[in-house]
Amino acid sequence: MKSRRRRDQARPGKFPQAAQQRLLELLAAGRPLTRACEDVGVAAARVHALARLDARWSRRLDDALLAGRNPDLPHGTPRGYSLGCRCPQCRRAKYIERGPRKPPRAAEPPVYPAAAPERGRKGRRLTPQEVDVLARAWAAGVDPVETGRRLGVAPSTVYRIAVRRLGLPPRDANQRGAGTRPRRTFTDADLERLSTLWGEEVPVAAIAQEFAVSPNTIYRRARQLDLPPRRTEGPAGTGAKGDALLHDLWAKGVPMAEIGKALGGIHLMTVRHHADRLGLPRRPRGRPTAGSA
């Protein structure tokens, strides 16, 4: 509404060229802006509106104000503006003293959009609204994992868009966000304890839970310590016993999902892999039932 009123005030038909030239002559002669507008018969708001929309008129108006200003006034200060001078220097000084009319908006927490339909992660393109949410979440220090979960993309996509496309500062490796677990530092005593548990055949998941790290971290530390690899001859690391159980269940026609649960909760594709390794006959297509050959 304000922009429409401003354009209406700045229409050339309501402020003709003759009136513009007359106003510039009065200002260059030293006439104050408000009185010059009264003499011409145009509102001061219309003059300023045209200056905001027309750069050429803005330069001509400033030149006239500079030519006709009173040299005895302290120009470039708020005092000069209070005494009636409207030259560019006095207007700028008044603006700096007054500050913006609207206070700056406080930083708002990121508002995540409604969940997008399931389209899959491959080829997922973020909308401009989602990119803006990502930038505000990055500035607020939200964990990329949480941001990616809300937007339906991978954390690496969040990092790539924030750092490479938007040019935001990268996160510190030890400060990935408030929800991230701090990096675990292994002491000599921890490494000795890990070696002991590894030699006692304690499951890797239990070792990782004791040290509050992921199983991959335990495997990596074990390789660094030159510890012997774990046995992988049979399913779930059970060796010959696992192979025998797999033979028995496979011969009875037990579904592969049930076999996986019996072998320690392994995936059915892992069951098929071990069955191929042991040379067991392939099952026919379709869902097998218990008791089928």
Side-chain angles (χ1 to χ4, degrees):
M1 187 64 182
K2 292 182 179 180
S3 59
R4 183 183 302 174
R5 188 183 303 114
R6 184 183 303 169
R7 289 194 299 267
D8 182 69
Q9 292 174 350
R11 286 179 181 174
K14 296 189 177 182
F15 193 14
Q17 294 291 336
Q20 296 179 16
Q21 186 62 32
R22 176 60 179 164
L23 178 65
L24 294 176
E25 292 175 357
L26 292 175
L27 293 176
R31 190 75 168 168
L33 179 61
T34 54
R35 295 183 182 179
C37 290
E38 293 174 359
D39 296 341
V40 176
V42 63
R46 184 165 300 167
V47 175
H48 292 298
L50 182 59
R52 284 190 290 267
L53 298 177
D54 189 347
R56 182 172 177 271
W57 167 252
S58 177
R59 291 192 298 269
R60 294 175 62 192
L61 180 63
D62 289 342
D63 293 341
L65 290 171
L66 289 172
R69 67 180 182 179
N70 187 354
D72 297 333
L73 297 180
H75 298 288
T77 62
R79 176 64 177 168
Y81 185 92
S82 301
L83 294 176
C85 181
R86 295 297 182 267
C87 68
Q89 288 82 358
C90 292
R91 295 202 310 268
R92 179 63 181 172
K94 182 63 177 179
Y95 174 80
I96 295 175
E97 180 192 42
R98 182 192 63 199
R101 294 185 182 274
K102 294 183 179 180
R105 297 178 59 183
E108 300 178 356
V111 179
Y112 294 96
E118 293 293 338
R119 291 179 290 178
R121 289 192 173 186
K122 186 175 182 180
R124 172 80 160 88
R125 292 181 177 273
L126 297 184
T127 63
Q129 179 188 7
E130 292 173 333
V131 173
D132 180 65
V133 170
L134 186 150
R136 286 188 280 130
W138 188 273
V142 181
D143 188 5
V145 177
E146 175 66 17
T147 304
R149 187 182 66 82
R150 296 292 187 92
L151 297 178
V153 295
S156 59
T157 302
V158 176
Y159 189 87
R160 186 182 69 252
I161 293 177
V163 177
R164 297 183 184 178
R165 186 192 302 181
L166 302 179
L168 300 177
R171 296 282 182 84
D172 185 12
N174 295 323
Q175 298 177 354
R176 293 293 184 186
T180 335
R181 184 167 52 192
R183 179 173 296 181
R184 180 71 159 83
T185 302
F186 281 79
T187 62
D188 295 339
D190 294 336
L191 296 177
E192 184 178 356
R193 172 65 176 168
L194 190 152
S195 301
T196 303
L197 296 176
W198 190 273
E200 295 175 356
E201 296 292 335
V202 178
V204 176
I207 301 176
Q209 185 176 4
E210 178 175 341
F211 288 100
V213 295
S214 66
N216 290 334
T217 302
I218 299 299
Y219 281 115
R220 186 174 68 252
R221 291 292 181 177
R223 288 193 299 268
Q224 293 175 356
L225 296 174
D226 294 330
L227 298 178
R230 288 294 177 93
R231 296 178 61 188
T232 58
E233 295 83 5
T238 54
K241 293 183 179 179
D243 291 345
L245 181 59
L246 177 57
H247 269 286
D248 185 31
L249 297 178
W250 192 272
K252 293 179 180 179
V254 178
M256 287 189 291
E258 299 296 331
I259 297 177
K261 294 180 181 179
L263 294 176
I266 62 177
H267 195 267
L268 58 91
M269 297 303 297
T270 307
V271 175
R272 174 175 292 180
H273 166 73
H274 287 292
D276 293 340
R277 179 180 58 83
L278 297 174
L280 299 179
R282 281 295 187 101
R283 289 190 171 180
R285 290 185 178 274
R287 181 172 295 180
T289 57
S292 62

